[in-house]
């Protein structure tokens, strides 16, 4: 009903850049596409962490640790989601997940995994010195 497929992960040196992509599809979306999508990450042995989100009108939200370094965007058709990551740090090493809220629902005030019903399989990002 909803499919999210990430790509673009890999290994990069500290200070480098990567661009993650997510292909979004599903019969549950209306003609406007998803209303709230974003990226989460999970470091080994740790809880999932919100990274960035964007709503259908293009309003974005980031966690403090990635502000100024990461940029979330989507194409006009709302079928692709991107995360441009620059000046990567060791602490950015994690599995990154593309997420979507329930079709037709705007982003909740709380940026929490609770409000994202659909998750991709994840793509690994490894940053080394």
């Amino acid at each position: 009903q909803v499919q999210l497929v990430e790509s673009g992960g890999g290994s990069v040196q500290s200070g480098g850049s990567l661009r993650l992509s997510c292909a979004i599809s599903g019969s549950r979306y209306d003609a406007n596409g998803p209303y709230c999508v974003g990226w989460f990450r999970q470091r080994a042995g740790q809880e999932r962490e919100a990274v960035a989100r964007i709503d259908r009108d293009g309003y974005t939200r980031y966690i403090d640790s990635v502000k100024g370094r990461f940029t979330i965007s989507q194409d006009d058709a709302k079928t692709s989601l991107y995360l441009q990551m620059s000046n990567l740090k060791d602490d950015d090493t994690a599995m990154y997940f593309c997420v979507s809220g329930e079709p037709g629902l705007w982003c909740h005030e709380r940026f929490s995994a609770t409000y994202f019903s659909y998750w991709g399989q994840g793509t690994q990002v490894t940053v080394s010195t």
Side-chain angles (χ1 to χ4, degrees), residues 51-122:
V51 176
R53 75 179 192 197
I54 186 168
D55 72 15
R56 187 171 62 84
D57 288 345
Y59 290 103
T60 59
R61 182 170 174 177
Y62 299 89
I63 59 171
D64 288 344
S65 62
V66 306
K67 285 180 181 178
R69 300 190 298 120
F70 290 12
T71 302
I72 189 171
S73 62
Q74 53 188 344
D75 66 344
D76 290 341
K78 306 296 187 290
T79 59
S80 293
L81 179 68
Y82 306 101
L83 186 67
Q84 178 66 48
M85 306 184 293
S86 302
N87 191 21
L88 284 160
K89 305 176 181 180
D90 293 354
D91 202 39
D92 295 317
T93 294
M95 183 72 78
Y96 284 71
F97 298 92
C98 175
V99 298
S100 172
E102 279 292 329
L105 293 184
W106 292 92
C107 295
H108 194 275
E109 174 60 27
R110 288 187 60 205
F111 192 2
S112 166
T114 302
Y115 301 102
F116 293 92
S117 301
Y118 302 98
W119 293 66
Q121 292 300 307

Side-chain angles (χ1 to χ4, degrees), residues 5-61:
V5 180
E6 305 95 336
S7 61
S11 297
V12 64
Q13 288 193 326
S14 181
S17 299
L18 277 176
R19 188 193 196 206
L20 305 184
S21 299
C22 176
I24 302 171
S25 61
S27 58
R28 291 201 60 201
Y29 293 125
D30 62 23
N32 296 315
Y35 281 50
C36 185
V37 290
W39 294 92
F40 277 67
R41 66 185 179 188
Q42 187 169 23
R43 302 181 183 90
Q46 297 187 24
E47 297 292 319
R48 292 175 298 184
E49 176 187 44
V51 176
R53 75 179 192 197
I54 186 168
D55 72 15
R56 187 171 62 84
D57 288 345
Y59 290 103
T60 59
R61 182 170 174 177

